[in-house]
Amino acid sequence: MEATAKHAEHGIGRYVVVWAILLTLLVVSLFLGHLSNVYLMNALVFGVALIKASLVVTYFMGIRMEPKVIVVTLIITVLFMVGLLAGVSPDVTFNPSAAPTPL
């Protein structure tokens, strides 16, 4: 009985739902790339990218079943990544040649 419950937790349905969410977020990020406000566009696109990355790591890489020390290490890594994105964002935002043309 316990083996059946454990197998049901790893069912394909959960992966299909996460895949559908990732596809939806992909479409959202593509539309966000056409916003005329560059500051808002960068913030929203980076935010969607972080959500997508966390979904991939959590579900497809199996981080939900790992020991807590690995989860803490991953959180620290994500915080460093956010710092990197915050450092690079002004270069992208204030570069006039990188600004998209409005539709």
Side-chain angles (χ1 to χ4, degrees), residues 9 12 21 35 37 44 57 65 68-70 82 94-95:
E9 180 181 335
I12 195 168
I21 292 170
L35 289 176
N37 186 345
L44 292 176
V57 168
M65 297 166 265
K68 294 295 179 194
V69 68
I70 293 176
V82 168
F94 297 120
N95 185 357

Side-chain angles (χ1 to χ4, degrees), residues 15 23 53 56 61:
Y15 293 112
L23 277 179
V56 168
M61 296 177 69

Side-chain angles (χ1 to χ4, degrees), residues 3 11 13 18 24 47 62-63 66 94:
V18 172
T24 304
I63 197 71
E66 295 296 331
F94 297 120

